[in-house]
Amino acid sequence: MLLNECVGSTLDTTRPFFTDDALVVEVLAFMQKEGVECAPVLHDGEVTAMVTTMDLVPLEQLEKTKKLRLKDLKLEKVGSIGLHEHLFDIFSRMHLFSSPLIAVSERDGMYAGVVEKALLLERIAAIFHLGDGAVTLELDVPSFDLKLSEVIAALEKNDATVLSFGMYPATPDGDGVVVTFRLQTYDLFRLVKNLEKYGYSVRYTSPFFQEKDDDMREKALEFIRFMDM
């Protein structure tokens, strides 16, 4: 999903911004009057930093600040994310933006607006179905013999729908991998027991029942143990 498809109407093109040659006293006065806590700083139309009232307030009483411009301050340098970029490619850089707002640029690098970091994270969570309505299942499998098509087929054979999945090394030295699935299933308990019968090593699963149903869970476990005898 490209960023321009993701942000849609959430891209804020009306938030005030300042050029880096703006006077500090004027910027601070404007931000305090309008209740703006942070704003992009531009140089030749491209974002170079985000300025906050916390950056400027300590300078308010200093005589020399009357002549200071934003470019004279040691503001943290930040870039922008492009409307033409894919959401997943942007994700690896999101930790570089300390502000709750992230500047967005056109393909040519020119400033286009800002978007809330939280909205991007929520969108990524929605794509991978990380909220309610899905369960998590992790399988520990050898990396040399991993066939995802077979694993997914086993899940679907047991009436589970794969919503998303990812992989990470099972150990620091890379011996084996853990495949994490987000699933929809009507009977997670039955799914796990059947996967174990197929020889899969289940590393983690979402709770089978709510805490109030612990008695039912224990009875089900006893029944499974009886059937295995």
Side-chain angles (χ1 to χ4, degrees):
M1 175 181 290
L2 298 181
L3 184 63
N4 61 357
E5 299 172 319
C6 172
V7 295
S9 60
T10 61
L11 178 66
D12 187 353
T13 60
T14 64
R15 175 168 287 269
F17 61 86
F18 306 97
T19 59
D20 61 354
D21 62 352
L23 290 170
V24 168
V25 291
E26 294 179 356
V27 171
L28 179 58
F30 179 88
M31 294 179 71
Q32 290 177 327
K33 178 182 178 181
E34 299 297 327
V36 177
E37 294 185 0
C38 64
V41 179
L42 278 57
H43 177 77
D44 291 338
E46 297 184 7
V47 175
T48 60
M50 293 286 287
V51 63
T52 69
T53 53
M54 295 298 294
D55 294 323
L56 306 182
V57 167
L59 306 174
E60 189 174 12
Q61 303 302 324
L62 300 179
E63 184 65 25
K64 64 179 181 180
T65 58
K66 294 181 179 180
K67 297 181 181 180
L68 276 180
R69 300 182 184 275
L70 291 178
K71 61 184 177 183
D72 300 324
L73 305 181
K74 295 181 179 180
L75 297 175
E76 180 182 1
K77 301 297 181 182
V78 299
S80 61
I81 55 178
L83 287 170
H84 60 286
E85 294 187 88
H86 196 280
L87 184 60
F88 294 169
D89 295 329
I90 292 168
F91 184 76
S92 63
R93 307 200 315 269
M94 287 182 64
H95 71 282
L96 300 176
F97 301 94
S98 57
S99 169
L101 296 177
I102 299 179
V104 179
S105 62
E106 302 285 356
R107 181 179 290 273
D108 58 4
M110 295 293 101
Y111 174 72
V114 295
V115 65
E116 293 184 22
K117 184 193 298 186
L119 290 176
L120 298 182
L121 294 174
E122 288 172 4
R123 186 56 177 158
I124 291 173
I127 292 173
F128 286 99
H129 300 271
L130 302 180
D132 296 334
V135 296
T136 301
L137 175 72
E138 286 194 344
L139 300 179
D140 202 338
V141 297
S143 56
F144 63 87
D145 196 30
L146 174 61
K147 294 182 179 179
L148 277 174
S149 59
E150 293 182 356
V151 179
I152 293 174
L155 294 169
E156 293 178 340
K157 182 179 178 180
N158 286 274
D159 300 322
T161 301
V162 177
L163 302 175
S164 65
F165 68 88
M167 294 183 291
Y168 64 90
T171 59
D173 57 9
D175 185 17
V177 296
V178 177
V179 187
T180 303
F181 292 96
R182 291 290 285 174
L183 307 169
Q184 281 184 339
T185 177
Y186 293 106
D187 194 343
L188 179 60
F189 184 83
R190 172 178 168 274
L191 171 64
V192 169
K193 299 310 295 184
N194 284 343
L195 288 175
E196 290 174 342
K197 289 181 179 179
Y198 299 158
Y200 289 107
S201 176
V202 178
R203 170 179 283 219
Y204 173 84
T205 179
S206 294
F208 295 124
F209 303 105
Q210 299 296 324
E211 185 177 352
K212 64 181 180 179
D213 294 324
D214 279 347
D215 289 342
M216 184 183 297
R217 177 182 179 183
E218 289 303 319
K219 291 178 180 178
L221 287 171
E222 289 178 8
F223 176 76
I224 292 294
R225 285 193 289 266
F226 173 76
M227 295 297 293
D228 289 340
M229 291 178 61

